[in-house]
């Protein structure tokens, strides 16, 4: 990072309070999201193996489709936070509404593509003859909820930009509860089978989107912001999201390559890889919560023209990232005898898993820095740099990972390659933060 004046103890405490007040609710909301799939899996699992297999395929397709558009949350958070920092709440909410309208347009387009293409998409995933009809049914019904899912992403970005991460937490809890009740009632009470689970998710998603819209519309009316779609504003939101879309797709490519390589290594290796990836994703929620706080706080400081404050809070969040990474790494090492048997009783998978898991533990401080700086640069609206940095990372990772099977490497080697990937990300993000080029003050970048 560019050198900032020494931060006083009072400033550090103030920054810590800001980070904690935003990060803790954000973490809880992030953890609540995967619970939707867990509930559906538990409910559908009792219908039979073909139904559960169909759910797994459809859910993978849906989560991929929605995760591609996560820029709706990231870009909206940064843009709204800047205007909040500049003291223009009317423009902040107007910017948020542009993001929500973009979400509705993208959602409608995805539904229009998914409904007719559902059988083909399921077939591409290699579904069995018995699982295919269930996967197609779940995918077609659940795809109707995609506009609501994308509105939730954009509206979450609005509230984060407004420095509010508590409302998304409350909405996530309510959505999870409604989804659980609806899934059980529609699957078993109404006898709709897997279709009931899908309809339960759709209804819950639209309920969440409606709750968010009520909050945003109230804010718009309070501050005199227009609710009508604005073509120029929607176009600007889309342009801001394109670099983050490239970044997200590059990161998804990294994870897909890693899974493909693990599959080539053998059944035990890919099973162990899936367990590690699940744990890695869980730890990412904790680190991503700090990144979300970074997006909101950095955007606000830069919008207020406080470059020094932005530097100071960036430095403090990096310290948080390092400490969080050390703690998470230590937890992996200490708790491994407890959680490994929960995932598998196969001693071959356990033996394959352990050394690779230790690599993940060692790399957690690196991950902590990466997540935090990623959030800082997103909050600064530095999406173009993030896109190029992630493309470079993919270019370094792909040949190394793909060479592992040919060179006789195993799962541990693959996770060393993943550590290399995170190290390249850290290097690119650290160099950018040190340069200070991300610090562009004002209501817009």
């Amino acid at each position: 990072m560019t050198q900032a004046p020494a931060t006083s103890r009072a400033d550090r405490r103030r920054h810590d309070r800001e980070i904690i007040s935003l990060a803790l609710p954000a973490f809880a909301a992030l953890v609540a999201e995967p619970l939707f799939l867990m509930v559906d899996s538990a409910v559908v699992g009792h219908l039979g193996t073909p139904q559960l297999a169909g759910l797994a395929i459809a859910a993978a397709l849906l989560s991929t489709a929605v995760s591609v558009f996560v820029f709706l949350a990231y870009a909206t958070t940064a843009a709204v936070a800047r205007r909040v920092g500049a003291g223009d709440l009317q423009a902040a909410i107007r910017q948020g509404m542009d993001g929500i309208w973009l979400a509705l347009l993208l959602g409608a387009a995805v539904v229009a593509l998914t409904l007719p293409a559902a059988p083909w998409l399921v077939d591409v995933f290699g579904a069995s003859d018995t699982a295919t009809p269930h996967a197609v049914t779940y995918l077609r019904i659940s795809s109707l909820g995609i506009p609501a899912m994308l509105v939730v992403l954009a509206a979450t970005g609005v509230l984060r930009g407004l420095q509010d991460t508590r409302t998304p937490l409350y909405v996530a809890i309510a959505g999870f509860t409604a989804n659980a009740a609806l899934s059980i009632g529609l699957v078993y009470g109404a006898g709709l089978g897997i279709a009931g689970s899908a309809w339960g998710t759709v209804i819950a998603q639209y309920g969440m989107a409606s709750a968010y819209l009520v909050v945003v519309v109230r804010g718009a009316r309070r501050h005199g912001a227009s609710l009508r779609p604005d073509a120029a504003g929607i176009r600007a939101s889309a342009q801001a999201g394109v670099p983050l879309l490239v970044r997200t797709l590059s990161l998804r490519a990294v994870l897909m390559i890693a899974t493909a390589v693990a599959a080539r290594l053998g059944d035990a290796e890919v099973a162990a890889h899936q367990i590690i990836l699940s744990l890695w994703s869980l730890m990412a929620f904790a680190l991503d919560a700090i990144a979300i706080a970074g997006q909101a706080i950095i955007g606000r400081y830069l919008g207020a023209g406080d470059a020094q404050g932005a530097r100071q809070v960036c430095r403090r969040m990096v310290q948080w990232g390092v400490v969080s990474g050390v703690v998470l790494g230590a937890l992996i090492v200490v708790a491994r005898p407890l959680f490994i048997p929960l995932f598998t009783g196969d001693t071959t998978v356990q033996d394959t898993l352990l050394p690779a898991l230790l690599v993940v533990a060692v790399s957690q401080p690196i991950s902590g820095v990466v997540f935090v700086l990623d959030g800082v640069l997103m909050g600064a609206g530095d999406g173009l740099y993030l896109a190029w940095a992630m493309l470079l990372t993919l270019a370094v990772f792909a040949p190394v990972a793909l060479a592992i099977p040919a060179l006789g490497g195993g799962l541990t080697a693959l996770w060393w390659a993943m550590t290399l990937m995170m190290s390249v990300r850290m290097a690119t993000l650290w160099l950018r933060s040190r340069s200070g080029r991300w610090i562009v003050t004002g209501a817009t970048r």
Side-chain angles (χ1 to χ4, degrees):
M1 290 161 288
T2 51
Q3 293 300 313
T7 309
S8 69
R9 181 175 296 181
D11 283 337
R12 287 197 299 271
R13 287 177 177 171
R14 177 168 53 85
H15 294 324
D16 288 346
R17 285 195 296 270
E18 282 185 310
I19 295 167
I20 292 171
S21 66
L22 291 172
L24 282 181
F27 171 68
L30 287 169
V31 171
E33 291 174 11
L35 294 178
F36 273 82
L37 180 57
M38 289 180 63
V39 168
D40 285 350
S41 298
V43 172
V44 172
H46 289 285
L47 294 175
T49 300
Q51 289 88 338
L52 185 58
L55 170 65
I57 293 167
L61 287 164
L62 285 166
S63 63
T64 298
V66 174
S67 66
V68 164
F69 297 109
V70 74
F71 70 83
L72 289 166
Y74 294 158
T76 305
T77 297
V80 171
R82 274 186 175 270
R83 286 163 176 76
V84 169
D88 192 348
L89 288 176
Q90 183 186 69
I93 296 175
R94 175 64 261 178
Q95 179 74 42
M97 285 305 305
D98 291 336
I100 290 173
W101 280 112
L102 176 61
L104 284 169
L105 291 173
L106 290 172
V110 174
V111 172
L113 291 172
T114 304
L115 286 176
W120 177 80
L121 290 170
V122 169
D123 185 60
V124 167
F125 261 63
S128 67
D129 291 340
T130 54
T132 292
H134 302 295
V136 171
T137 296
Y138 191 92
L139 180 59
R140 278 182 165 158
I141 296 173
S142 293
S143 69
L144 299 175
I146 288 178
M149 296 178 196
L150 299 191
V151 166
V152 166
L153 284 177
T156 299
V158 176
L159 295 181
R160 288 172 180 170
L162 293 170
Q163 317 296 296
D164 177 8
T165 56
R166 292 183 179 274
T167 299
L169 169 60
Y170 300 147
V171 174
I173 293 173
F176 165 72
T177 304
N179 181 59
L182 286 166
S183 290
I184 294 171
L186 293 175
V187 171
Y188 298 114
L192 296 180
I194 194 170
S197 178
W199 280 118
T201 299
V202 169
I203 294 168
Q205 291 289 352
Y206 275 99
M208 293 171 67
S210 299
Y212 275 118
L213 288 175
V214 167
V215 174
V216 174
V217 168
R218 283 178 180 172
R221 289 175 175 169
R222 187 181 309 121
H223 298 287
S226 173
L227 298 174
R228 294 179 179 179
D230 175 65
I234 294 171
R235 189 162 52 249
S237 293
Q239 289 171 346
V242 168
L244 295 179
L245 174 61
V246 172
R247 167 204 167 273
T248 301
L249 289 173
S250 300
L251 182 56
R252 297 290 300 185
V254 165
L255 298 178
M256 289 174 66
I257 289 170
T259 300
V261 170
R264 293 183 188 178
L265 297 176
D267 290 347
E269 284 77 6
V270 74
H273 174 75
Q274 185 58 41
I275 293 170
I276 295 175
L277 197 59
S278 298
L279 292 168
W280 193 70
S281 300
L282 179 61
M283 290 180 290
F285 285 132
L287 299 175
D288 203 27
I290 304 174
I292 287 169
Q295 292 171 32
I297 296 171
I298 291 293
R300 192 187 78 235
Y301 271 101
L302 293 178
D306 189 353
Q308 177 181 324
R311 291 189 186 97
Q312 289 178 342
V313 77
C314 175
R315 182 195 302 177
R316 189 58 175 166
M317 281 189 290
V318 168
Q319 294 169 351
W320 270 77
V322 172
V323 172
S324 299
V326 170
V327 170
L328 289 172
L331 283 173
I332 291 173
V333 174
V334 172
R336 69 187 189 282
L338 299 176
F339 65 75
I340 289 179
L342 295 177
F343 286 98
T344 179
D346 188 324
T347 55
T348 302
V349 175
Q350 290 181 357
D351 291 342
T352 304
L353 169 70
L354 186 56
L357 191 63
L358 294 178
V359 173
V360 174
V362 170
S363 68
Q364 283 309 293
I366 297 173
S367 297
V369 175
V370 168
F371 273 84
V372 166
L373 290 180
D374 211 35
V376 166
L377 296 186
M378 283 184 191
D382 204 9
L384 188 59
Y385 181 84
L386 289 172
W388 283 110
M390 197 61 226
L391 284 171
L392 172 63
T393 302
L394 175 60
V396 172
F397 170 77
V400 173
L402 293 172
I404 288 172
L407 296 175
L411 187 67
T412 302
L414 175 58
W415 276 94
W416 276 120
M418 290 287 285
T419 301
L420 170 66
M421 179 271 295
M422 294 300 287
S423 298
V424 173
R425 288 187 72 190
M426 184 176 71
T428 57
L429 297 174
W430 182 260
L431 287 172
R432 186 64 166 182
S433 68
R434 291 284 295 181
S435 74
R437 294 177 183 174
W438 58 279
I439 300 176
V440 179
T441 58
T444 58
R445 183 175 173 83

